[in-house]
Amino acid sequence: MRERDRKRECPQNRNSARSPWKDWDTKRHRKAFSSFSHLIESLTAMPLHPSVLWAQRKDLIYLTVEVTDINKPVIEVKPNSFHFKGKGEKEQNEYEAEIEFYAAVDVEKSKQHLTPRNLTMIIYKKEEGFWPKLQKGNKLNFVKVDFSRWKDEDEEDDDGLPDPMGGMDFQSLMAQAGGNMPNMDDLPEDDSDSDDEDEEAKDSKTSKCVKAISKRLD
């Protein structure tokens, strides 16, 4: 065997004859993996959107931020927007939400109530009237209807109607009448014969009317 053929068959020589493209591919893969790692880190560092429930009356809106164990909240109510930021839940993840209102609100009248369960906001509208939606612009995926508090415009109008009983208590009326229900034995018995006579009288009148109308038509 020739010397040149021996060098070609040697494993060490085969490894030494490494293609430069292989090194280039390795660097490219490392760079891509590094970029992917940075992307994952940036995504995990971004705040999460909390679920926000909303309902309304003609003069106010209810907002409920559905996050438990809220820590260090930043709550801002502006004439046209609402902003929330804070950590919460068991993992103490960071949450953030920004809502631009459909119409102006009264900042000074607005109230908030923070509990270990959630954050509730009562925000008064600048002008009374029902909004077709909470936000201005496109739909927000993290905003949902609070059906436990929701009332339509006609339902709220019904709440303002006067009591048909005039606020009178039925029990108090019975007490004024002596406090006793009438004895059913003292009531007159139902006379079925009189009912039959009434029905016969009605039938007789009906037949007479029919005969009179037929004579006129003739």
Side-chain angles (χ1 to χ4, degrees), residues 143-159:
V143 175
K144 299 177 177 60
V145 174
D146 188 351
F147 290 103
S148 63
R149 286 194 175 103
W150 188 268
K151 282 190 177 181
D152 292 328
E153 188 173 359
D154 53 354
E155 292 178 344
E156 188 174 18
D157 292 339
D158 292 341
D159 291 342

Side-chain angles (χ1 to χ4, degrees), residues 11-28:
Q12 295 180 352
N13 292 334
R14 286 205 306 268
N15 293 334
S16 61
R18 191 171 181 177
S19 172
W21 291 104
K22 190 171 183 179
D23 294 336
W24 185 84
D25 288 342
T26 303
K27 291 179 181 179
R28 185 180 65 176

Side-chain angles (χ1 to χ4, degrees), residues 24-177:
W24 185 84
D25 288 342
T26 303
K27 291 179 181 179
R28 185 180 65 176
H29 291 159
R30 287 178 181 175
K31 187 175 181 180
F33 181 78
S34 177
S35 300
F36 181 74
S37 300
H38 287 303
L39 177 61
I40 295 297
E41 291 177 359
S42 61
L43 290 175
T44 54
M46 291 177 61
L48 303 173
H49 278 145
S51 294
V52 179
L53 306 180
W54 87 287
Q56 68 172 324
R57 302 292 184 270
K58 63 181 178 181
D59 59 338
L60 59 85
I61 59 175
Y62 295 101
L63 290 183
T64 304
V65 180
E66 290 286 278
V67 177
T68 61
D69 301 325
I70 297 176
N71 186 26
K72 297 180 180 179
V74 177
I75 304 166
E76 293 179 329
V77 179
K78 297 180 180 179
N80 294 298
S81 64
F82 167 76
H83 178 256
F84 165 81
K85 186 175 183 180
K87 294 184 178 180
E89 299 292 341
K90 185 178 179 180
E91 299 80 7
Q92 286 296 295
N93 296 321
E94 190 170 353
Y95 294 88
E96 188 173 10
E98 181 84 23
I99 300 174
E100 186 178 2
F101 292 131
Y102 178 81
V105 299
D106 192 336
V107 178
E108 296 180 357
K109 281 177 144 184
S110 300
K111 303 174 183 178
Q112 66 184 46
H113 182 56
L114 180 62
T115 66
R117 186 178 178 182
N118 54 33
L119 169 66
T120 302
M121 303 290 301
I122 300 177
I123 303 175
Y124 285 83
K125 301 175 181 178
K126 201 76 172 178
E127 296 181 359
E128 291 189 358
F130 272 74
W131 296 355
K133 56 183 179 178
L134 173 65
Q135 76 284 348
K136 182 182 291 185
N138 296 329
K139 180 181 177 181
L140 301 175
N141 293 329
F142 59 89
V143 175
K144 299 177 177 60
V145 174
D146 188 351
F147 290 103
S148 63
R149 286 194 175 103
W150 188 268
K151 282 190 177 181
D152 292 328
E153 188 173 359
D154 53 354
E155 292 178 344
E156 188 174 18
D157 292 339
D158 292 341
D159 291 342
L161 293 177
D163 186 0
M165 293 297 293
M168 287 189 276
D169 187 2
F170 182 74
Q171 293 182 352
S172 62
L173 290 176
M174 292 303 301
Q176 293 176 6

